[in-house]
Amino acid sequence: MRGWICLAGVSVLLVAGCGAEAAEPVAVPRGAPVAVDVPAASSGGACRLLDFAVVEEHTGERFDVAAASARDDTRTCVLRAKRALLPELALTVTDTSIDAADFTADVQPAGARKVSRLGQVAYRRTGAATKGQGPIAEVGWLAAEDRLAVLRWTLPKGAERAAAEEVAGKLVALAGTVDTRAL
């Protein structure tokens, strides 16, 4: 008896489903894309040492794209804005065994100005524009934990060298916030 009741129930369900018309698909409106602020540190490498808000605080420029690279004992991070290729900020950190005297003799570029209170020894300099890009501003220092660090800012084509000199001063302040021990 139980078998007949089950068979009758299944038959009713099958017959009821056969007569129904197929439902029209329901169109769901697409939502607006969601913009998510991702920290520079999420790119890894030397980007772990930079924060978009800190860079903006010191330089006045808002970056929102970060890319990291590593090769041997060198880690690099490049920051850019989505809207333009330049300006660009690059941080390179390399493990080293040189001392302050070797840094001054072999690493510090000719014509660079000495910077005090940054690492063991430090410099700042500007460079002329090259094909396709504007002048550069650079700050390099020998950090206390035997790491060589360089912050390099590339300005857009057409920018004046005086603008690079102004940025170099801002990079010195930014370099003071970079803790290379965190790598």
Side-chain angles (χ1 to χ4, degrees), residues 11-23:
S11 298
V12 168
L13 289 175
L14 287 174
V15 170
C18 290
E21 292 183 24

Side-chain angles (χ1 to χ4, degrees), residues 126-158:
T126 60
T130 61
K131 185 178 180 183
Q133 66 186 36
I136 60 104
E138 182 176 279
V139 174
W141 69 101
L142 182 60
E145 59 284 343
D146 295 329
R147 290 201 168 127
L148 171 63
V150 177
L151 274 171
R152 183 180 176 114
W153 185 284
T154 306
L155 283 88
K157 187 175 182 176

Side-chain angles (χ1 to χ4, degrees), residues 95-153:
D95 295 336
T96 186
S97 60
I98 65 172
D99 60 13
D102 290 334
F103 177 89
T104 303
D106 299 332
V107 176
Q108 184 172 315
R113 295 182 2 201
K114 185 177 180 175
V115 172
S116 59
R117 294 185 295 238
L118 180 59
Q120 297 176 43
V121 62
Y123 71 86
R124 72 182 251 186
R125 75 175 188 102
T126 60
T130 61
K131 185 178 180 183
Q133 66 186 36
I136 60 104
E138 182 176 279
V139 174
W141 69 101
L142 182 60
E145 59 284 343
D146 295 329
R147 290 201 168 127
L148 171 63
V150 177
L151 274 171
R152 183 180 176 114
W153 185 284

